[in-house]
Amino acid sequence: MEAKAILRRVRISPRKMRILANLVRGKRVEEALRLLKHSSKRSGIVLHKLLVSALANAEHAGIGDVDNFFVRACCIDNGPIEKRWLARAMGRANRIQRRTSHVTIVVAAAA
């Protein structure tokens, strides 16, 4: 059995989020929480909270002992891109794209 947690429209670029997502994918939950908590990246805080939420969902569903769980999947997908304009010299403008992410974490009991 498995449980998941989804977070949408996170204001962090998917490319930056995937660095830590690749780090914790397939690890045991205790080790993944430790890695995310002590990470210096801003996406570590978001992924840590989402992993705790996925564990709470598993505990609420009564799937099994939370101590035996591992991170089955950690998917970072592209969210909508906010498009803005930045004024430049001589009446010109540059486009700024603020990228967002959709994050899904799936935890499962170790067999």
Side-chain angles (χ1 to χ4, degrees), residues 12-55:
I12 301 175
S13 169
R15 186 174 178 178
K16 294 177 182 178
M17 294 280 286
R18 285 187 188 114
I19 295 171
L20 286 181
N22 293 337
L23 187 66
V24 299
R25 190 177 296 121
K27 298 242 190 317
R28 295 185 55 81
V29 170
E30 301 88 24
E31 185 178 357
L33 287 172
R34 185 177 45 81
L35 286 171
L36 293 172
K37 185 174 182 179
H38 297 298
S39 172
S40 61
K41 299 209 171 276
R42 190 168 63 120
S43 60
I45 298 167
V46 174
L47 289 173
H48 185 272
K49 285 184 180 181
L50 196 61
L51 184 56
V52 169
S53 177
L55 287 175

Side-chain angles (χ1 to χ4, degrees), residues 67-82:
D67 297 330
N68 296 329
F69 276 73
F70 71 99
V71 180
R72 176 175 294 238
C74 187
C75 302
I76 312 293
D77 298 322
N78 294 334
I81 299 173
E82 299 174 4

Side-chain angles (χ1 to χ4, degrees), residues 84-102:
R84 299 288 183 265
W85 294 97
L86 179 67
R88 305 301 288 181
M90 297 165 63
R92 294 184 176 95
N94 285 353
R95 191 164 98 174
I96 294 178
Q97 294 183 339
R98 297 183 174 162
R99 299 183 184 276
T100 61
S101 304
H102 294 325

